[in-house]
Amino acid sequence: MMPEFPAHVLDSLRQPLEAGEAVVARANRHVRYPARFQLIAAMNPCRCGGGPGAAACTRGPKCAQQYQSRLSGPFLDRIDLYFDTPPVTAVDLALPPPSEGTAEARARVAAARNIQADRFGETGDDTRRPVNADAPLPELEKVARPDQPGGALLADAAGRLNLTARGYSRVLKVARTIADLDGSDGVRRVHIAEALSYRQRPAGQGEGVNAQAMAR
């Protein structure tokens, strides 16, 4: 569980998550190492687990607040996607399989990655291809500029969610990726809305969900 790691260990990931490299500084020199990676982490709402029914936390909201306060704001600001995973019930197990299976999802993701590689051009590095997450701010403003309704929604949400400049640009990058998965040339309001929904951090009130966070 992510909050079980020491805070200084988690905060040491801030620079690699932001710049894709780790810098070791000593008195006479700085050494840079490539460190571009995808962070996937999980956490319970509180240390008690916060599950439903008999597993529910009996210590109240303070337990969740203390547990989640182990994660610093600057570290959380570098997390692009938050997703609550409610417990699986017997009713869920009886549901029909989703209309889009793994093979179909893989094909859609591959198509979106090809779109991004064509958009930014090949890097010459055989190990990876350029993606929306790599876009500098000037380029991002060109390729991820939302339509008028999407821009209005983002401007309103930036105030309500207290988005930092980093958070604002990350919402645009996620929205651009959602649009690519949708096969859309432009970023529309629906793409901005979905990206903002992933930006909402778990409430942490012991309501029986596991929070998963992914940086991409």
Side-chain angles (χ1 to χ4, degrees), residues 21 28 37 45 51 53 61 81 102 113 117 126-127 136 139 149 169 174-175 181 187 189 192 209-211:
E21 63 180 14
N28 297 323
F37 62 96
L81 309 177
T102 302
R113 292 294 294 263
D126 293 336
T127 62
E139 187 70 17
S169 64
V174 172
L181 289 168
V187 176
R189 187 181 191 277
I192 294 291
V209 296
N210 290 325

Side-chain angles (χ1 to χ4, degrees), residues 111-158:
R113 292 294 294 263
N114 289 335
I115 290 173
Q116 294 172 41
D118 292 340
R119 174 180 297 135
F120 299 111
E122 297 294 347
T123 62
D125 184 351
D126 293 336
T127 62
R128 64 185 304 273
R129 306 174 74 188
V131 293
N132 294 327
D134 302 325
L137 184 58
E139 187 70 17
L140 183 66
E141 293 177 345
K142 297 177 182 178
V143 303
R145 183 182 299 275
D147 60 10
Q148 194 278 330
L153 175 63
L154 181 56
D156 178 64

Side-chain angles (χ1 to χ4, degrees), residues 61-83:
K62 186 176 181 180
C63 181
Q65 293 170 0
Q66 291 176 340
Y67 190 61
Q68 294 186 22
S69 67
R70 299 181 182 184
L71 308 176
S72 71
F75 171 73
L76 291 175
D77 198 33
R78 289 163 170 81
I79 301 295
D80 291 338
L81 309 177
Y82 294 87
F83 185 69

